[in-house]
Amino acid sequence: MRRCRCGALNLETTITEIMTNFSSLPIELRIKIVETLYKTQDGVLDGTWTCRGRYRRPSEIDLRSKRFLSTPMGAQCSITNDLVLSTGSCAALNTLGLVSRGFYDICRFVAFHELEIDHSQKKDDPSLTKAFEKTVELVPNYVKVIKVHLGRRSKPPHTRELQWKALVKDIATVIGLCKHTETISLYYSDGEADITDIGNQILTMIEDGTVRNIGIYSADILQDNRSTWDISCIDQPKSLLHSILMSLKACEQLRRLDIVMEHIDIELMQLLQRRPTSLHTLTIRRAMRLFHIRPFLPFHMNDWALNSNLTRLTLVYCQMAYADLMIPLIGHFYFLEEFTWAHCGHWWRSSKSPPPSGWSKEANTLPNVRPPLKLLHIEDASSWELEIMGQIPAERVIISDRDEEKIAKFFTRTDEIFPSTNALHILPGAPDYIAHFGSLLEVVCRRRMIRLLRDARVLFP
């Protein structure tokens, strides 16, 4: 018994020493430790966002388990008949928050890092403002990331339209309460539904320098990769993007812009080329369609303003982003570090001849006029497109293509392709492919001192 008591005493002393040492650490380091535990144990998003993969509404993931949740840290999820609000609270953080007051304060900060607002459009409820206020009244200063999922508004009667406007106004109010928000993602299903109040609030927060990252996503596109869309029904998202790009203050403050839209017209494309010169990251998915913008307009390099800040560019399902037009684009953005090109181009564009032998020695080629990219990711490229894209210098190259034979033959033709590359990532191949074509690729990579890694994944199935 005495031995057990001594063991308990030693354990209590150890915990006290740990807490004393933890409390002596700088607050930034303590928050980092808790955030790391939060991500590792629960797999919760860290607040970054992208337009990769298929879209799932929050209610399809985990919101059912969060209904009317009340945790020791005060994390709440309020649900009305047609609205869901949730924060990133989780069991691990709740448990950790019970250890001490210091852990409690830090875990509270991390738990409310992200706020999701989901309008599931089940029934209309006029008492939304109270639900909003009840949910965020304790934690608005902790929220850094807001995700707004807007469903389809009800059609007539007229009272439904008024309730939709009240809902949008309430959402705008909540966004305005979270004054330290840095990232806002807006997912829309009804491009004609009036979201003016939300757009005005977002624009104000961008101009104030609070919000730096914006994503405008079509939920329909993220759910379904069909080739055609109704382009006449997205006036509201286009209006939001137009207001952001027309504001000089907003363009100076914006750091990241993700666009997943049915299309953008000529005026929006020209604004996107000239205005947001402070962007660090730009993602465009599907918005540049062949039949809605004059051919090749997006890739007239004289139309693009110089942007020494842009380091990451992603183009997905953009029909006019032909492989041969990517070469001057990469040359134009001299400080670009990461480039993703996936499912771009169109069958209408005839194949281009590969560059002649010895091209890499010419003075005006990319390897001789700019530093290599840190990462180049290519997905779903034909043989001639690979030949063209092989002129891009990159330290790491990822080719997400199931046809390993095509990749192997491509790399055995010449050693000039992908200059400066020290690592090649491809999809895990079938055993028979690896036995035959894999050996060819391995020989080439060993000769060029390139590490061959079979750890790539398909971003857009």
Side-chain angles (χ1 to χ4, degrees):
M1 294 295 293
R2 183 176 301 173
R3 184 174 301 171
C4 292
R5 285 197 296 270
C6 290
L9 180 61
N10 291 337
L11 178 60
E12 183 178 352
T13 304
T14 301
I15 293 176
T16 302
E17 291 175 353
I18 292 174
M19 289 309 306
T20 301
N21 293 334
F22 182 82
S23 300
S24 65
L25 295 174
I27 184 64
E28 294 83 2
L29 183 56
R30 280 184 278 168
I31 292 175
K32 191 66 176 179
I33 291 173
V34 175
E35 286 180 336
T36 302
L37 293 173
Y38 182 44
K39 299 173 194 175
T40 302
Q41 295 185 15
D42 298 273
V44 179
L45 292 175
D46 61 356
T48 59
W49 36 273
T50 182
C51 61
R52 296 177 178 175
R54 296 181 66 84
Y55 170 72
R56 293 188 300 167
R57 297 186 65 82
S59 54
E60 298 176 11
I61 306 172
D62 60 355
L63 284 189
R64 291 183 179 179
S65 62
K66 294 181 180 179
R67 292 192 174 187
F68 302 106
L69 176 66
S70 181
T71 72
M73 292 180 290
Q76 298 177 358
C77 174
S78 298
I79 296 186
T80 65
N81 286 336
D82 70 341
L83 193 71
V84 178
L85 283 85
S86 68
T87 62
S89 184
C90 63
L93 279 179
N94 293 336
T95 302
L96 191 60
L98 295 175
V99 173
S100 71
R101 180 68 188 183
F103 270 116
Y104 174 88
D105 292 336
I106 294 177
C107 290
R108 179 181 172 87
F109 174 84
V110 177
F112 295 102
H113 178 84
E114 183 175 303
L115 175 67
E116 291 201 71
I117 304 173
D118 179 27
H119 169 250
S120 55
Q121 193 54 44
K122 295 177 181 177
K123 296 179 181 179
D124 293 304
D125 192 321
S127 59
L128 298 179
T129 303
K130 293 181 179 179
F132 277 121
E133 293 175 349
K134 180 180 178 182
T135 302
V136 301
E137 63 183 356
L138 299 176
V139 294
N141 292 334
Y142 293 158
V143 175
K144 300 294 183 182
V145 179
I146 297 179
K147 297 181 180 180
V148 181
H149 306 262
L150 291 175
R152 299 187 183 278
R153 56 177 179 163
S154 299
K155 298 301 182 183
H158 180 63
T159 54
R160 296 288 181 89
E161 186 72 19
L162 295 177
Q163 288 172 355
W164 171 268
K165 292 182 178 180
L167 170 70
V168 170
K169 184 177 180 179
D170 286 337
I171 293 176
T173 300
V174 172
I175 294 175
L177 290 174
C178 303
K179 299 184 181 301
H180 297 281
T181 302
E182 299 173 356
T183 298
I184 297 180
S185 303
L186 178 65
Y187 300 83
Y188 67 90
S189 298
D190 186 347
E192 290 184 306
D194 187 0
I195 57 172
T196 302
D197 289 337
I198 295 177
N200 290 339
Q201 183 60 57
I202 291 175
L203 178 60
T204 298
M205 296 176 75
I206 298 175
E207 292 178 338
D208 291 343
T210 305
V211 173
R212 296 297 186 95
N213 309 312
I214 287 294
I216 304 175
Y217 304 112
S218 166
D220 290 339
I221 291 180
L222 294 179
Q223 289 173 324
D224 185 3
N225 282 326
R226 60 183 174 175
S227 59
T228 59
W229 298 96
D230 184 359
I231 66 170
S232 62
C233 301
I234 58 168
D235 292 340
Q236 291 296 314
K238 285 169 57 179
S239 177
L240 172 58
L241 180 60
H242 184 271
S243 64
I244 293 173
L245 295 178
M246 284 297 292
S247 170
L248 181 59
K249 287 184 178 180
C251 290
E252 291 175 347
Q253 299 294 340
L254 204 58
R255 296 295 180 265
R256 177 168 183 170
L257 178 61
D258 279 13
I259 301 173
V260 183
M261 294 172 60
E262 286 74 5
H263 83 109
I264 52 178
D265 53 30
I266 294 176
E267 181 183 5
L268 277 177
M269 189 66 240
Q270 291 175 331
L271 289 173
L272 190 61
Q273 289 174 309
R274 304 299 302 179
R275 305 281 289 185
T277 55
S278 296
L279 280 181
H280 293 183
T281 300
L282 174 62
T283 297
I284 303 177
R285 178 168 172 177
R286 279 202 176 271
M288 292 191 297
R289 309 300 292 162
L290 181 64
F291 303 106
H292 312 313
I293 304 181
R294 291 196 302 267
F296 318 130
L297 171 67
F299 303 107
H300 286 159
M301 290 303 104
N302 291 335
D303 294 335
W304 286 89
L306 292 176
N307 185 350
S308 59
N309 299 300
L310 190 66
T311 58
R312 182 181 299 173
L313 176 62
T314 300
L315 301 176
V316 185
Y317 286 106
C318 292
Q319 290 180 334
M320 290 177 299
Y322 303 110
D324 54 304
L325 300 180
M326 296 302 98
I327 306 304
L329 184 72
I330 300 299
H332 181 80
F333 294 112
Y334 183 85
F335 295 97
L336 195 67
E337 296 179 354
E338 298 181 14
F339 178 54
T340 298
W341 186 88
H343 302 272
C344 293
H346 192 266
W347 62 267
W348 174 84
R349 180 73 158 176
S350 59
S351 61
K352 297 295 180 179
S353 301
S357 178
W359 64 267
S360 60
K361 297 179 181 178
E362 297 179 7
N364 60 345
T365 55
L366 285 182
N368 299 317
V369 298
R370 61 153 295 144
L373 300 175
K374 292 183 178 179
L375 176 64
L376 171 63
H377 195 151
I378 301 173
E379 184 168 304
D380 190 31
S382 64
S383 296
W384 76 267
E385 288 171 330
L386 278 178
E387 293 276 5
I388 298 296
M389 301 287 278
Q391 301 175 68
I392 301 175
E395 296 175 2
R396 291 175 55 226
V397 175
I398 302 175
I399 303 179
S400 301
D401 198 309
R402 304 191 198 291
D403 191 349
E404 190 166 320
E405 177 182 359
K406 177 174 65 179
I407 300 174
K409 291 181 178 179
F410 168 61
F411 268 87
T412 54
R413 289 176 187 169
T414 173
D415 287 348
E416 287 187 292
I417 58 172
F418 295 126
S420 307
T421 299
N422 53 45
L424 173 64
H425 304 256
I426 62 175
L427 295 174
D432 54 341
Y433 263 70
I434 295 176
H436 181 60
F437 297 107
S439 60
L440 297 177
L441 198 55
E442 290 167 1
V443 169
V444 174
C445 288
R446 278 198 299 269
R447 185 176 69 249
R448 294 184 55 183
M449 301 179 66
I450 297 175
R451 288 186 301 137
L452 178 61
L453 305 170
R454 299 180 182 274
D455 59 357
R457 64 185 180 91
V458 176
L459 295 180
F460 306 96

